[in-house]
């Protein structure tokens, strides 16, 4: 029941066959990335369906009057859906048949739980040695937490994200998106494509072990090296930056803006624009190190000036002078921003709006040809 013709012959992954045994966010988000890139993704759902179909409000109503939660549509565009109960012999046989001719399987069941159905990597690769099999779990296939369920909020705390997010004197704060789930989906899509390239050399697939915890720790980047180099824990900085100043949120007469003059030249430009060139002569602010050390005093001086401007005028002046700056947009402002509109980041498929994967190719195009599937929409007769 794989597609006989690619969804879009001009897409990078045209003809790739992906079987998705995943639900909620990390696994489905990975599957959606591959679907946007042109893969034929068959989503296998339980008779009750992916739980996110019911994670509303808000709800998205289809033309036929049926509806699912908006959350579901964030990570299931471009796929087909079939229903399978793994406890049913006929359903299980159908899933195994699909896996036998698949290029990729994505699954996010608890570690080891698919083995009893023969749907784990050893069980499926025995009849398909070219299979790239990606397991997505909270903590990976090994280690003392391997058999624990993983939840984005918990992993945000465990990975160090929340120790870095929030005001210095406030409580630790999670991010406003499910960053651990979403980043795992992105890392996983990258790993799958790397394994597919390796398969071209070796002729064999392999098992990919992806964990929310690993992927979150992997994003610590400069905060991790701060800790490794200093032996200290990076502090929560709110909107400030531990290594660059001025760099943060500043008031205007009608709102707030972000100012990010991240080097000496940009700092001098900003001071001239604000009429405070005298600050560039202050020994405390002569270098980035000094500005960071005395950031409280410097920020207060800049805030006193920025507060006399309107948001629009300050941002326009920064643009004219080549100073990095921007507004703090609500989502309605994001999707009406001329840059976002020009880049086509909002897509509408069958009356269902979503955000496209942010790839732009010179010699390829995304396969944006169908909305998220209804439950069992592609069930064979």
């Amino acid at each position: 029941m794989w597609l006989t013709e690619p969804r879009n012959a001009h897409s990078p992954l045209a003809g790739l066959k992906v079987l998705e045994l995943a639900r909620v966010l990390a696994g489905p988000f990975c599957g959606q990335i591959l679907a946007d890139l042109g893969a034929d993704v068959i989503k296998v759902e339980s008779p009750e369906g992916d739980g996110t179909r019911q994670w509303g409000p808000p709800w998205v109503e289809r033309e036929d009057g049926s509806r699912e939660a908006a959350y579901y549509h964030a990570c299931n565009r471009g796929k087909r859906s079939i229903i399978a109960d793994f406890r049913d012999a006929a359903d299980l046989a159908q899933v195994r048949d699909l896996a036998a001719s698949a290029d990729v399987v994505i699954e996010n069941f608890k570690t080891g739980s698919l083995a009893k159905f023969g749907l784990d990597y050893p069980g499926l690769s025995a009849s398909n040695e070219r299979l790239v099999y990606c397991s997505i779990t909270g903590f990976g296939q090994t280690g003392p937490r391997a058999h624990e369920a993983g939840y984005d909020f918990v992993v945000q705390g465990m990975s160090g994200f929340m120790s870095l997010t929030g005001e210095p004197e406030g409580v630790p704060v999670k991010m406003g998106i499910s960053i651990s789930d979403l980043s795992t989906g992105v890392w996983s899509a990258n790993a799958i494509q790397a394994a597919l390239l390796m398969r071209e050399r070796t002729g064999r697939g392999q098992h990919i072990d992806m964990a929310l915890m690993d992927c979150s720790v992997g994003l610590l980047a400069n905060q991790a090296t701060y800790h490794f180099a200093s032996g200290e824990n990076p502090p929560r900085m709110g909107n400030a930056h531990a290594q660059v100043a001025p760099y943060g949120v500043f008031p205007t007469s009608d709102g707030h803006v972000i100012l990010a003059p991240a080097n000496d030249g940009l700092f001098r430009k900003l001071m001239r624009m604000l009429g405070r060139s005298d600050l560039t002569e202050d020994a405390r602010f002569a270098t980035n190190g000094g500005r960071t050390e005395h950031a409280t005093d410097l920020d207060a001086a800049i805030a006193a000036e920025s507060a006399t401007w309107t948001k629009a005028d300050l941002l326009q002046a920064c643009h004219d002078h080549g100073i990095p700056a921007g507004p703090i947009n609500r989502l309605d402002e994001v999707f009406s921003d001329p840059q976002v509109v020009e880049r086509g980041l909002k897509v509408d498929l069958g009356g269902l709006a979503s955000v496209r994967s942010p790839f732009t190719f010179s010699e390829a195009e995304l396969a944006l040809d169908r909305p998220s599937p209804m439950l069992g929409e592609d069930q064979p007769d």
Side-chain angles (χ1 to χ4, degrees):
M1 60 176 295
W2 294 107
L3 295 177
T4 55
E5 298 292 335
R7 294 171 53 219
N8 183 330
H10 298 291
S11 59
L13 298 183
L16 191 75
K17 301 171 182 177
V18 178
L19 189 64
E20 182 187 296
L21 312 179
R23 63 269 196 233
V24 187
L25 187 51
F29 194 65
C30 173
Q32 179 172 272
I33 293 170
L34 301 180
D36 275 3
L37 290 169
D40 180 16
V41 180
I42 297 179
K43 182 179 181 69
V44 179
E45 301 188 64
S46 69
E48 297 76 28
D50 189 316
T52 60
R53 290 180 180 273
Q54 304 304 319
W55 283 15
W59 303 96
V60 174
E61 187 167 314
R62 296 183 187 263
E63 293 177 353
D64 66 355
S66 63
R67 71 176 192 174
E68 299 100 354
Y71 194 117
Y72 164 75
H73 293 283
C75 49
N76 287 291
R77 174 181 60 243
K79 304 174 187 176
R80 297 188 287 151
S81 169
I82 65 170
I83 297 169
D85 183 342
F86 295 165
R87 296 163 297 184
D88 181 276
D91 285 2
L92 183 58
Q94 181 186 54
V95 173
R96 290 181 61 83
D97 285 346
L98 287 168
S101 54
D103 295 293
V104 177
V105 167
I106 303 168
E107 64 92 4
N108 65 350
F109 285 75
K110 286 181 66 176
T111 298
S113 61
L114 287 180
K116 60 187 174 184
F117 302 110
L119 296 176
D120 57 346
Y121 178 66
L124 295 181
S125 63
S127 58
N128 183 358
E129 66 174 11
R130 292 176 57 81
L131 181 66
V132 171
Y133 186 105
C134 182
S135 294
I136 297 174
T137 58
F139 299 100
Q141 303 295 304
T142 60
R145 294 183 178 270
H147 292 280
E148 294 183 20
Y151 293 88
D152 178 272
F153 194 1
V154 174
V155 172
Q156 285 201 41
M158 293 181 65
S159 65
F161 283 175
M162 291 175 62
S163 75
L164 303 169
T165 308
E167 295 297 330
E169 302 305 320
V171 299
V173 176
K174 72 178 181 67
M175 294 190 68
I177 59 172
S178 298
I179 185 66
S180 293
D181 274 326
L182 293 169
S183 65
T184 301
V186 174
W187 285 109
S188 298
N190 195 33
I192 286 167
Q193 292 174 87
L196 289 169
L197 281 172
M198 186 173 180
R199 188 180 72 175
E200 293 303 301
R201 300 198 309 271
T202 66
R204 294 187 59 81
Q206 60 185 294
H207 186 200
I208 302 170
D209 175 8
M210 302 297 297
L212 269 66
M213 185 69 170
D214 297 359
C215 292
S216 299
V217 173
L219 290 180
L220 291 177
N222 61 296
Q223 296 286 27
T225 54
Y226 175 110
H227 168 65
F228 297 151
S230 69
E232 303 291 332
N233 289 310
R236 292 197 303 277
M237 299 289 294
N239 290 315
H241 195 295
Q243 288 85 36
V244 180
Y247 197 96
V249 174
F250 293 89
T252 68
S253 62
D254 59 347
H256 290 82
V257 298
I258 296 168
L259 301 178
N263 60 46
D264 293 345
L266 292 171
F267 171 65
R268 289 192 289 269
K269 281 186 177 182
L270 178 63
M271 294 305 98
R272 285 196 298 271
M273 190 193 83
L274 293 177
R276 290 302 308 269
S277 290
D278 59 297
L279 293 177
T280 65
E281 305 302 322
D282 190 317
R284 294 174 299 167
F285 309 136
T287 65
N288 180 69
R291 293 192 294 273
T292 301
E293 182 179 355
H294 300 284
T296 299
D297 292 340
L298 179 58
D299 287 353
I302 294 173
E305 300 301 327
S306 66
T308 67
W309 296 64
T310 66
K311 183 167 62 173
D313 286 348
L314 182 57
L315 290 174
Q316 185 60 55
C318 286
H319 174 77
D320 293 343
H321 287 82
I323 299 166
I328 301 171
N329 287 333
R330 301 183 307 269
L331 293 201
D332 61 328
E333 295 170 314
V334 171
F335 290 105
S336 61
D337 184 291
Q339 182 67 25
V340 174
V341 172
E342 172 66 24
R343 301 291 287 179
L345 291 170
K346 178 183 177 182
V347 294
D348 192 306
L349 302 171
L352 304 177
S354 57
V355 182
R356 73 166 176 85
S357 294
F359 305 110
T360 302
F361 300 96
S362 66
E363 302 296 331
E365 58 191 43
L366 297 181
L368 301 172
D369 56 350
R370 59 183 295 164
S372 308
M374 293 185 287
L375 178 60
E377 178 179 324
D378 301 283
Q379 199 76 14
D381 297 330

